[in-house]
Amino acid sequence: MVFNLEEELKKLPDKPGVYLMHDAADRIIYVGKAVVLKNRVRQYFHKSGNKSPKVLRMVSQIAWFETIVTDSEAEALVLECNLIKEHQPKYNTMLKDDKGYPYIRVTVGEAFPRVMLAHTMKKDGSKYYGPYTSAGAVKDTIRLAHKLFRIRDCSRRLPEDIGKERPCLNYHIQQCDAPCQGKITPEEYGKAIEKAQDFLGGKYDLLLKQLEEKMMAASDAMDFETAITYRELLFSVRKMDERQKMVENSMENRDVVGIDVEDQDAIVQVFFVREGKLIGRDHFHMVVADGDSKTQILTDFVKQFYSGTPFLPREILLPRELPEVDSLSQWLSIKGGHKVTLAVPKKGEKYQLLQLAEKNARLILSQDKEKVRREESRTMGAVRQLEEILGLSGLNRMEAFDISNISGFESVGSMVVYEKGKPKKNDYRKFKIKWVKGPNDYASMEEVLIRRFSHGLEEREKIREKGMAENYGSFSNFPDLLLMDGGRGQVNIAERVLADMGLEIPVCGMVKDDNHRTRGLYFYNQELPIDRHSEAFQLITRIQDEAHRFAIEYHRSLRGKSQVHSILDEIDGIGPARRKALMREFQTIDAMREATVDQIAAIPEMNRSVAKTVYAFFHDGEIPD
């Protein structure tokens, strides 16, 4: 169908929404939003002389455009962020880093709450602290909270499971008050949780005073072992207090954003301030589209970064005014469930903190520029080389598959995913072969591919039924390229599966030499040479090794479980319940072999007679008195 530009411009709606610019190959090269689509899109095609070089180049490549109307500018902003993240358009300034931040979760909805690490913040009734920039610091904080307030770290369902199992080691070393045995009431435990929440919120003064008093009392009583314990806890809390340096008297949650730009690179530095304390900082690399100003880069960062983070502070400090500040603030407020203000301080403590963030951004850009470029060469540089070898464009997501078995025993398949040249481990998937018997790698690969894309098509159908979704599932997000760890045979299988399902996805095989090393790529019935010293070859090798490692790791875990079960099945008197009890208590066969009769008999599901039988099995028939 011929796209008539003049006619389509006349049809543009007088409403808010999103526009998508396509090139001649039907690739989306730019996504933007508009308060009034008719006015914004027409500006690109006016013959005015005030367009930037970037806009001029983009307009010269536009073959056609499409628009999506929304009910409000805020809805258009959300849709724009989602489409940019999904399509990675060439002329949009892109946030390279896809980082996730850990939280500390307190399960206040439980009768006996726990304090644990969480990778995401959910609306589950729990209390969350963070986000933090260091998972190591989070783990240290949680360990310290357990020691200070004797909070349980088990996953037992309480109070339902009270008294069902013996207390764990933490009770015996006085780091838990054993709510699993009813040794502490929910009310007493709740007081400990309240103190823990004060600690996590940064209220250290009273805790430091109490620890010092207990240390001195133990010392006066000549209980030096206890005094040393309190001294170590006192040191740990003081260290925590120093790490979370007070930056202002206000107890607000806010992010402080600084930026520095040089050529095609930009670094955005973010300070995370929670309840008046600087709990961490992080920096982000932006790939700058030619001609974009600092203001535009900062706007793109705010949209992309805060569309992906579940926690939103009440205030975001910025070094300059943004043109879309009202719609951005409205969108962030809706997303966060509370008012979010975008402010540009001109003086005072906030301004000084902002200047510090800007200084850090400049320092990181000057120090890490070469490192960033090397990483770019290993990842997106390698992807671009691969595009050139294969004659493709727009490669973002690649998937590789492998099969692992020993003489057909417990055959498994692995699926690994790389996006922008980096592993995306959340999307890795394991397949236990169900349909194929025996060591048939080709048939097993066919089963894995059928199941993978069948799941994807089912997910896409559900998404269509429910309307537009913010995030696709890992299966419904199809790859731009399939990589098969083999030549013609595996490629033919993959192409046949895709054809049967009506999918058009390029498939590339890796041809091996006599020493089982990749010598070239098999693509559309041709063997293409590849330089073994190139970044593209190194990337393919990494993907191959990762698929192989993931499959072997899964196969080893299944094989280990099967071997343990088969060994225990040979012991007289050991049925499913006792086998499960033994595994729960000892975890491994070696631990069972080293256990005494008394230790085995102490398991509730056992008796002394069965314990002697188990012991004898592992000790060549020897039965102790």
Side-chain angles (χ1 to χ4, degrees), residues 232-244:
E232 290 174 349
L233 290 173
L234 190 63
F235 174 77
S236 297
V237 175
R238 282 175 177 162
K239 187 177 179 182
M240 192 75 64
D241 194 23
E242 291 171 2
R243 181 190 297 160
Q244 295 187 343

Side-chain angles (χ1 to χ4, degrees), residues 130 136 217 227 238 241 335 355 361 363 441 466 471 488 550 605:
R238 282 175 177 162
D241 194 23
K335 189 174 185 293
Q355 291 295 101
L363 185 64
D441 284 357
K466 295 179 180 178
N471 295 304
R488 183 188 303 242
F550 194 50
E605 291 82 353

